Amino acid sequence: MSGQRWYTADFDAMAWQGVHVHGLRLVPNDDGTAELVLDIDFLLTRAGEDGAPHFRVAQAILQFHEVSALRMALDYAACSAGMTPFAIGAIAREPVAGAEGGDGDGTVEDAGQGPWRWTIRIDWPDGELAFESPGFSQWLV
């Protein structure tokens, strides 16, 4: 399984719903941005041949590059939960208005262009990560 990689161009084919995040770190770049690195359990398979739930999970790294304008909110207190990995609900993106490579109006001309405004919705506990980044890399470890 190791060696499998995905990139920003693969975004539309990716599914992160139900993926657990076990670690989060920021690695600073020299230009004031940072690499946002998430240690995740990535779901490679969600259903078996008979359609019944069947999960194949692999440890992976999801890294967003040159991250800026980061906002994070995780509310473990509201659900009186212990500190456990948080679960991604969805990852969405939209072009950054006025950015080089697209006009940010969401038209076809912007497709595949960055930078992007990313939102990682957290299903459990309630929360969200939001930031700007030109893209991501993900690989199995």
Side-chain angles (χ1 to χ4, degrees), residues 48-102:
E49 293 176 14
D50 60 358
H54 173 80
F55 299 102
R56 207 169 108 217
V57 180
Q59 183 182 0
I61 301 294
L62 173 56
Q63 181 171 338
F64 289 91
H65 307 289
E66 301 173 24
V67 168
S68 62
L70 175 64
R71 291 182 306 113
M72 295 189 293
L74 288 173
D75 193 353
Y76 282 89
C79 59
S80 299
M83 299 301 294
T84 62
F86 58 88
I88 294 175
I91 299 179
R93 69 179 184 180
E94 62 184 33
V96 174
E100 200 175 301

Side-chain angles (χ1 to χ4, degrees), residues 95-121:
V96 174
E100 200 175 301
D103 61 12
D105 65 1
T107 60
V108 173
E109 291 78 26
D110 290 324
Q113 304 290 324
W116 302 98
R117 183 171 298 109
W118 298 86
T119 303
I120 302 176
R121 191 185 81 240

